Amino acid sequence: MSAVLDGKPLADRVAVVTGASSGIGQATAERLAALGADVALLARRADRLEATAERITQRGGKALAMPTDVTDRDALARAAAAVHERFGKVDLVFANAGVQLISPIGDLAVDDWDRQIDLNVKGVMYTIEAFVRDLESAAAEGKPADLIITSSIAATRVLEKFQVYSGTKAYLSQLTRLLRTELGRKKVRVSAVEPGMVDTELPDHVTDADASRLMADLIKEIDVLQSDDIAETVAFIAAVPKHVNLSEITILPTEQII
């Protein structure tokens, strides 16, 4: 556990975490709750969400499991209403849900292209739609307000066969910069987290042999990041004084050079 924070610096915060059923999202939901936030967990896998919410509750935190497909705008609207009813206004959004599907462009894996665009881009946009008014309102009341988006080092690296995935992540990094031109003026902090190789289930979705080998070799050869490392970074972004916006953080394993 790479904890650098202690106490309850996120007390009285209400957080929404998407992609909260595993990996970075699950670890971040648990960490935010441990630091005092009330946390709504959104993802499609209800059983995983319920198990995470139960762990949070057993440790004295507050959690709401909301099975939600973030590519479904109506489902997100229903989730937002449920969060409001349980916890009130949201002031911390971690838009983390995403998928990585790697293939040569000539394979014409159009369904995979669509899935990545729908989840990695549209899912984030729909999450913003559901909660941006809350963030603006919280900031107007003088409270901290954070929109934190999971991008990737792939947004800036040139990796063969990663064109669609990397394109979606480049969109998110640029989106974060552009959103600050509007939301920053309203005292809403906007941040992009760009991890390198993290030992999560995300690479399990990769069917291309070369990409799978690249990731497997990294995990085998170097001390890669863990989900807890990203969770602590997200928590730190939200815990710094509200006039401080850590707008773009690249997190790499020390030994990762590609």
Side-chain angles (χ1 to χ4, degrees):
M1 178 70 176
S2 53
V4 296
L5 299 170
D6 57 18
K8 300 292 182 182
L10 302 181
D12 302 321
R13 302 288 302 269
V14 176
V16 167
V17 177
T18 69
S21 62
S22 65
I24 292 170
Q26 178 183 313
T28 301
E30 294 189 29
R31 188 60 179 143
L32 297 179
L35 294 170
D38 298 341
V39 183
L41 293 76
L42 276 60
R44 291 178 297 176
R45 292 180 287 184
D47 57 336
R48 298 287 296 269
L49 289 185
E50 293 289 353
T52 301
E54 180 63 23
R55 281 195 301 276
I56 289 172
T57 301
Q58 289 176 349
R59 296 167 184 165
K62 295 181 180 179
L64 173 65
M66 284 295 303
T68 306
D69 181 350
V70 298
T71 68
D72 183 335
R73 294 174 65 197
D74 291 336
L76 268 170
R78 291 192 296 271
V83 176
H84 292 156
E85 182 176 355
R86 175 73 176 275
F87 293 139
K89 189 179 303 176
V90 173
D91 57 47
L92 200 174
V93 175
F94 182 38
N96 168 72
V99 67
Q100 181 185 68
L101 303 170
I102 308 305
S103 63
I105 199 67
D107 282 1
L108 300 179
V110 177
D111 288 345
D112 287 352
W113 302 352
D114 287 343
R115 186 177 171 199
Q116 291 176 99
I117 293 167
D118 286 345
L119 184 53
N120 299 359
V121 175
K122 291 183 179 179
V124 171
M125 297 306 300
Y126 295 161
T127 301
I128 293 169
E129 176 190 18
F131 296 106
V132 69
R133 297 300 184 212
D134 278 17
L135 296 177
E136 291 176 333
S137 178
E141 294 172 7
K143 301 175 183 177
D146 290 283
L147 171 60
I148 305 171
I149 296 171
T150 300
S151 180
S152 169
I153 190 61
T156 56
R157 297 292 197 268
V158 177
L159 301 170
E160 186 179 0
K161 304 180 184 179
F162 281 65
Q163 59 282 328
V164 177
Y165 176 75
S166 292
T168 64
K169 292 302 184 176
Y171 173 90
L172 294 180
S173 291
Q174 183 69 352
L175 173 69
T176 302
R177 301 176 192 115
L178 295 169
L179 285 175
R180 291 195 70 252
T181 66
E182 296 183 51
L183 296 179
R185 292 190 177 94
K186 297 179 180 180
K187 300 183 179 180
V188 176
R189 302 185 292 196
V190 187
S191 305
V193 176
E194 300 176 341
M197 190 65 205
V198 186
D199 190 5
T200 71
E201 67 178 32
L202 192 64
D204 296 342
H205 303 150
V206 177
T207 57
D208 180 79
D210 292 337
S212 295
R213 192 177 306 111
L214 171 66
M215 295 177 187
D217 287 348
L218 277 175
I219 291 174
K220 180 180 178 181
E221 293 171 4
I222 70 173
D223 188 6
V224 299
L225 300 171
Q226 301 299 315
S227 295
D228 287 342
D229 300 323
I230 313 304
E232 194 69 13
T233 303
V234 172
F236 185 79
I237 290 170
V240 296
K242 65 182 181 179
H243 69 283
V244 177
N245 186 174
L246 301 172
S247 61
E248 195 167 344
I249 298 182
T250 298
I251 312 170
L252 289 174
T254 301
E255 298 169 89
Q256 183 177 349
I257 59 173
I258 60 172

